Amino acid sequence: MKTLILGGVRSGKSRLAERLALESGRPVTYIATATAGDAEMAARIAAHRVRRPADWTVIETPLTLATTLREHARSGGCLIVDCLTLWLTNLLLASDDRALDREQQALLEALDDLPGDIVMVGNETGMGIVPLGELTRRYCDAAGRLHQDIAARCDRVLLTVAGLPLALKGDLP
């Protein structure tokens, strides 16, 4: 089953993804896309590490998400991708101007064929005002398109608010 979990910052997205992975009873591979560019982000990453069970495999993948998914998806396994929007940010800031389009297309193509359970987390950024600044607007536009494209390929799409999941597509877990 492919699941997309969206929500605002600190809405409970990652905790829900981790709970679904645990409840699957399958071996879990956690694909982390964040990079610790400052002390605050390093602290966020550390908090996520503390929560994860020791038997989970963790792969850090800031850019080549499709390649990592293809390498690690297994029938009978569960992958968590946390988080799509941090991955998107990494691509927007990459020195290769074509990286975003290339990697996003590769991800969408990969999703159609991946075995096992896939749980993807993304920050919902499209529910606020139009931001100032070209890069921020590009980010919000790209995140909105990415989430729409991934949601179309998923069996279940959940929105988390205050730690509570709402089913947008499929059933609640």
Side-chain angles (χ1 to χ4, degrees):
M1 173 176 282
K2 291 178 184 74
T3 300
L4 174 61
I5 301 172
L6 300 171
V9 174
R10 298 284 192 238
S11 64
K13 305 175 301 290
S14 296
R15 288 182 191 267
L16 177 58
E18 292 162 4
R19 181 177 64 101
L20 293 177
L22 280 171
E23 290 174 357
S24 77
R26 298 170 176 232
V28 176
T29 300
Y30 189 104
I31 300 172
T33 63
T35 57
D38 58 36
E40 187 271 339
M41 186 53 107
R44 284 178 181 254
I45 291 169
H48 277 254
R49 283 183 181 141
V50 167
R51 278 202 324 253
R52 285 184 221 138
D55 63 330
W56 286 10
T57 301
V58 177
I59 312 282
E60 294 182 359
T61 303
L63 298 173
T64 56
L65 183 55
T67 299
T68 301
L69 286 170
R70 286 186 194 275
E71 289 173 359
H72 295 281
R74 301 280 180 271
S75 185
C78 181
L79 295 177
I80 295 177
V81 176
D82 197 0
C83 122
L84 292 168
T85 43
L86 288 173
W87 169 72
L88 185 70
T89 299
N90 296 337
L91 291 168
L92 281 169
L93 298 176
S95 58
D96 179 355
D97 291 338
R98 287 178 249 129
L100 175 62
D101 291 336
R102 182 181 62 245
E103 292 298 328
Q104 184 170 323
Q105 188 59 41
L107 172 62
L108 295 174
E109 289 171 5
L111 283 177
D112 291 334
D113 302 323
L114 294 175
D117 287 344
I118 314 292
V119 181
M120 296 166 282
V121 174
N123 287 299
E124 180 51 61
T125 59
M127 299 174 83
I129 61 171
V130 176
L132 295 175
E134 186 265 340
L135 179 60
T136 309
R137 285 190 301 275
R138 276 184 60 211
Y139 165 80
C140 288
D141 290 348
R145 284 189 298 272
L146 176 66
H147 290 156
Q148 289 178 53
D149 290 342
I150 290 177
R153 289 165 168 81
C154 285
D155 306 296
R156 178 170 54 192
V157 179
L158 305 172
L159 176 67
T160 57
V161 178
L164 302 172
L166 303 167
L168 303 178
K169 180 180 180 181
D171 296 325
L172 280 173

